Amino acid sequence: MGRSGRGGWASISADDENGMELREIQEVARTAGRFAVSTPLVATLLAGRWFELDQDVLDRGAVPIVRRDDRLVAPYYADGVAIVDGAGAVVESSGVEAAVFADLVPLALVPGEHPALDGERLAEARAVFAAVAVGCADIVLTRSIAWAQTRQQFGQPIKGFQAVRHMLADAHIAREQAWTAAIAAGHEAFRADVWAAQAFTLARRSIEFGIQVHGGVGYTWEVGLQHHLDQVLELDSLFGGDR
Amino acid sequence: MGRSGRGGWASISADDENGMELREIQEVARTAGRFAVSTPLVATLLAGRWFELDQDVLDRGAVPIVRRDDRLVAPYYADGVAIVDGAGAVVESSGVEAAVFADLVPLALVPGEHPALDGERLAEARAVFAAVAVGCADIVLTRSIAWAQTRQQFGQPIKGFQAVRHMLADAHIAREQAWTAAIAAGHEAFRADVWAAQAFTLARRSIEFGIQVHGGVGYTWEVGLQHHLDQVLELDSLFGGDR
Amino acid sequence: MTMTRFDDPAADRFRADVSAWVAEAIPAEWRDGRQALGPDDVQRIQRSWDEALFEGGFAGLSWPEEYGGRGFGPIEELIYYEESSKANAPDGFGRIGRVLAGPTIIAAGTEQQKKKYLPRILDASEIWCQGFSEPGAGSDLAAVTTRAVKVDGGYRITGQKIWTSFAQYSTRCLMLAKSSTELPRHHNLSFFLLDMEQDGIDVRPIRQINGEQEFNEVFFTDVFVPDEDLIGGEHEGWAVAMTVLSNERGTTEAATRLVEATTEIDLLSSCCSLDKPHDAVRLQDRKELLRWHILRATEEKAAGEDWFTAGSVLKVQWSELIQDATRLGIDTRCPIHRDYWRHSYLASKAMSIYSGTNEIQRNIITDRVLKVAR
Amino acid sequence: MTMTRFDDPAADRFRADVSAWVAEAIPAEWRDGRQALGPDDVQRIQRSWDEALFEGGFAGLSWPEEYGGRGFGPIEELIYYEESSKANAPDGFGRIGRVLAGPTIIAAGTEQQKKKYLPRILDASEIWCQGFSEPGAGSDLAAVTTRAVKVDGGYRITGQKIWTSFAQYSTRCLMLAKSSTELPRHHNLSFFLLDMEQDGIDVRPIRQINGEQEFNEVFFTDVFVPDEDLIGGEHEGWAVAMTVLSNERGTTEAATRLVEATTEIDLLSSCCSLDKPHDAVRLQDRKELLRWHILRATEEKAAGEDWFTAGSVLKVQWSELIQDATRLGIDTRCPIHRDYWRHSYLASKAMSIYSGTNEIQRNIITDRVLKVAR
């Protein structure tokens, strides 16, 4: 697989002969996390980076793979998405579609799953998916602020209550700490597991404050805050380490 | 030592032939905790209860003793206070004086110290001194409420700020939980150590909220909140169990 | 204190009675094969459980004897919850009637209302739901906008209620509605015993963030309530609601939540993936504290204190305890209970919101318990 | 990002430099026999440390080179704090001058003020204190009531300041006072470089709840400041104060507190009485997070963001971390360090209060960072 046929997300990582810097991928990952629709984008960028660093990476099978419906989907930076079966053989290659994140699990990044990641790549994956979790916290905080500005209780917008204002502040504090943990995970591969666990826990905490700000309305499926929380839980179970 | 010569605090426990109920002593202990001046009152009532239950208790040396300055003071319900030396021998017997609690440690109640308490009496002592800690939380909360009603910031009494109001509520919650733990310690001797530890931790937490409500002023020695906090720390180190 | 205490022999005897009865009363198909049951079977068993409770004498445990209750206190309620939970007993549909509607009618109803409704609540021939919360009112319950317009012989009700459990099975609704647009706040609401079996009522399930549909929205359009089903005096609904919510709901709810906390924390303590066992020990200690706090509050309530002096503290306590327990459940990353903890964790997010948000509870504590004027 | 990063080789070299210099510079009597030193000896060593810092080139690390600084950033400040703390170096009296007065003068001073004061701050020939807080103002710094009355050639200052560290050693005070009784809030204050060596100044130590006397109250009675010692424009003191407090104090303070947190948590981790070691591990993890948060904030500040976007988060973070660490210290009930933990615990109670209470920090976050209008 050469450099031909690049396009779409994969081309984001094509500017630099040495692949994207991890921190840049984290920034993109955080942005991606702000949208409840997850795509193979993040895994694709990681795969691109690893391929640039080591052309043999594909042969070793160490590319991110996502699970959609019952199929395993391996996004890679060639012509789209490779569909692989459980044994890792390519079944089909096609264009990329967006899908609800809940059905998209980067299966290959699960320690112990096939194909497994080595320690260095696992650490990078932890750092990058921790950044996705920060994006999840971002969007919930943004929505919570908007909600606090419009929701009326006791004859005034709830943004007027200091308890609500301080919950927004606490959501911000946790979100900022989560981002710091994600950045640190990218710098300290030797303890990326601990950093990622902190990032997921803190992103989760931030989202919890946001749900509380929303009150009962935030607890309904229609409002959709659970998508973001669920994404953090899902990533945590895949990439969180010891806490 | 018979029943003659009763008076003062000791007589509080004299109404009931079987000594005071532990819960009644706890109520008195809580009230005593509200005053920064500690007295041998609480230890005296406990000693009275134990003596009524078992006349041999004195011979076994299992009476509460407090340390004042360099002397050991054993309050007992006879004619006042017995001063005993380190070996437990009575040196002097005199009337009771109030003293600052910090100088008054019920030494005999320390596990492993001389004279040691047996398990049952130690459990009761934990329950009773946990109640003193609740009294410490009571007075700090009372003072914090008073302070919040008079202290002006940003052109209004700080009681108008929801953050301050919720801190008062949190102080109340912790204080109420501490009282529950103290009561439970009196009922469940087999885990009185855990209950007492909870009571001390919760009383401490309640007082911490009160100090925060006071702001910088609460951090000055003159205002005196540290007396109550210190008493809780002291009792915790003597009677707190595993946490 | 002369009331039943938790450590009284009488309480122990009652516990033994409950335990024996529950073991006997649970249908075999539930006890032995719950996983295999379909939704219709489950519903049938829930209904039969309501009847079994009545026949066994366990409905209305804390109702006065003159109204068919057992005259016990919340200690016995707590014991019942603990024992039935230990035995994995089913839950009926009659809960709102037994813990909310019944006590309301006993406290504020006319003799006629008591005679008419209380027996049907006890034997579960009528299932009740509550009509308090509204999407627009949220924490500000006094701001309900469902209208009750006076007409000849009764009222016409129009509006939307939310978080209405059991609405799809209910024949009656304990309805709080705005009966005056002119009277001041807190003096403009009335309380009704509304017939759910009439036209103009539309029940729509709400999907919650954990995917379940435990609650409903209910839309009322020009629904009639006769005068005799007004309870507690016209425009005096707020006072009735406050009494009911603070005195009755608190006790039973805390007991129920204690049982939930016990389930979660026991599972945690035995989890194969719990690598820091002391975290679970601390939760166990807090759970024991909650249990004792309920006992203490019960004693104080019997001694004449308003429930709300303890109710708000309990609410904050159980909600934070269960939320912390489910967080730890997630953190175990237990491969066996992964879905369980995800579900429990998401479900627990509602606990700091419903029954009065924890912020409202803290307001209540400062306003009404500590009495610090704003 | 082109600035020094923590993991740059340049930072490593600087760390090695600091480490070597500190080991050399610490007086032997301090290193080997600190316990035996009397108060006069300690004070003499503190003064000599200020001089040593200057001579070694470690005063004004982050000051621009044109003013005698080294032109480094907060990363180097942090490295200095870490290394000097590891070596148990003494602390001088010149800190307020170096981290508060100097940067204020650099940011807002006239050329004349810079020439006159900056060299004396660096070589510690003048010791500075700050005159911001007042007993009546508390969290509401804009409400200071110390008056600055315009007189011929200058101002007359009368009022009371509190929490004034080093006041007893100071020759200058960075003074915020109310220069107008008519102008609106936030536009009625002026900032002065006040001479402490004149009549009318009364310094009284404050005894804190841990028994220490680190701070003072200072009473000013009709004290004179010449016009040339007004800094930042008449009535524009609030803007100067905000810049100084949010941009400068945050960096250094967080670095200092990180060092304190490290000391406490390392002691905890090695404590013989710590029976739940994972509690200390979690604190270590939070401490590392604080460290990285400082690094990150430093990078972002270099990239042009206002410090306050990170400063409030840092303030809450370090204060809660150290408070939790000292709580755990108490809970160990360590027989060896009992008095140490009691002292640290009580001292930490002030941390959620000073430098802007944690409630004020949360207000700042919602008001200024998240920009949610009230």
Side-chain angles (χ1 to χ4, degrees), chain B:
Chain B
M1 204 167 295
R3 305 201 56 150
S4 63
R6 281 183 180 166
W9 297 317
S11 63
I12 295 176
S13 65
D15 298 334
D16 183 341
E17 282 298 314
N18 295 314
M20 261 173 111
E21 285 282 347
L22 191 64
R23 176 65 179 266
E24 295 172 285
I25 298 180
Q26 287 185 299
E27 300 280 356
V28 176
R30 180 172 176 176
T31 306
R34 291 180 187 141
F35 300 91
V37 180
S38 176
T39 65
L41 166 64
V42 172
T44 302
L45 294 180
L46 259 183
R49 167 177 164 81
W50 295 337
F51 186 75
E52 291 289 354
L53 293 172
D54 173 7
Q55 305 283 326
D56 293 336
V57 72
L58 184 64
D59 298 335
R60 294 210 311 275
V63 296
I65 294 183
V66 299
R67 184 171 55 206
R68 190 169 62 206
D69 303 327
D70 291 335
R71 298 182 307 179
L72 298 179
V73 184
Y76 195 58
Y77 82 71
D79 297 338
V81 175
I83 311 295
V84 298
D85 64 17
V90 173
V91 173
E92 183 192 332
S93 183
S94 66
V96 177
E97 297 161 41
V100 176
F101 64 85
D103 306 323
L104 277 170
V105 180
L107 188 68
L109 301 178
V110 184
E113 294 272 339
H114 172 86
L117 290 178
D118 56 27
E120 196 184 330
R121 289 197 177 77
L122 178 58
E124 291 202 354
R126 291 191 200 275
V128 164
F129 286 96
V132 174
V134 180
C136 298
D138 285 336
I139 183 65
V140 172
L141 180 52
T142 301
R143 293 187 57 185
S144 302
I145 291 170
W147 174 256
Q149 286 170 325
T150 51
R151 172 70 167 178
Q152 299 262 337
Q153 294 273 268
F154 302 99
Q156 56 172 292
I158 61 170
K159 71 170 182 174
F161 295 104
Q162 199 178 25
V164 171
R165 300 181 72 80
H166 282 194
M167 271 192 276
L168 294 173
D170 283 327
H172 172 76
I173 291 169
R175 178 263 303 262
E176 290 299 306
Q177 290 179 310
W179 182 231
T180 297
I183 291 171
H187 280 85
E188 296 189 340
F190 65 96
R191 64 195 310 263
D193 56 340
V194 176
W195 285 122
Q198 280 193 288
F200 294 124
T201 301
L202 289 161
R204 185 176 82 191
R205 182 186 304 163
S206 181
I207 293 172
E208 288 175 354
F209 285 118
I211 291 176
Q212 186 72 13
V213 166
H214 275 80
V217 175
Y219 193 67
T220 60
W221 184 270
E222 281 69 24
V223 168
L225 299 180
Q226 73 282 1
H227 295 306
H228 312 289
L229 186 52
D230 227 4
Q231 189 171 13
V232 173
L233 297 186
E234 186 72 35
L235 292 172
D236 185 2
S237 74
L238 293 170
F239 299 109
D242 192 41
R243 59 163 62 74

Side-chain angles (χ1 to χ4, degrees), chain A residues 91-106:
Chain A
V91 173
E92 182 192 334
S93 185
S94 66
V96 176
E97 298 162 39
V100 176
F101 64 85
D103 306 323
L104 278 170
V105 179

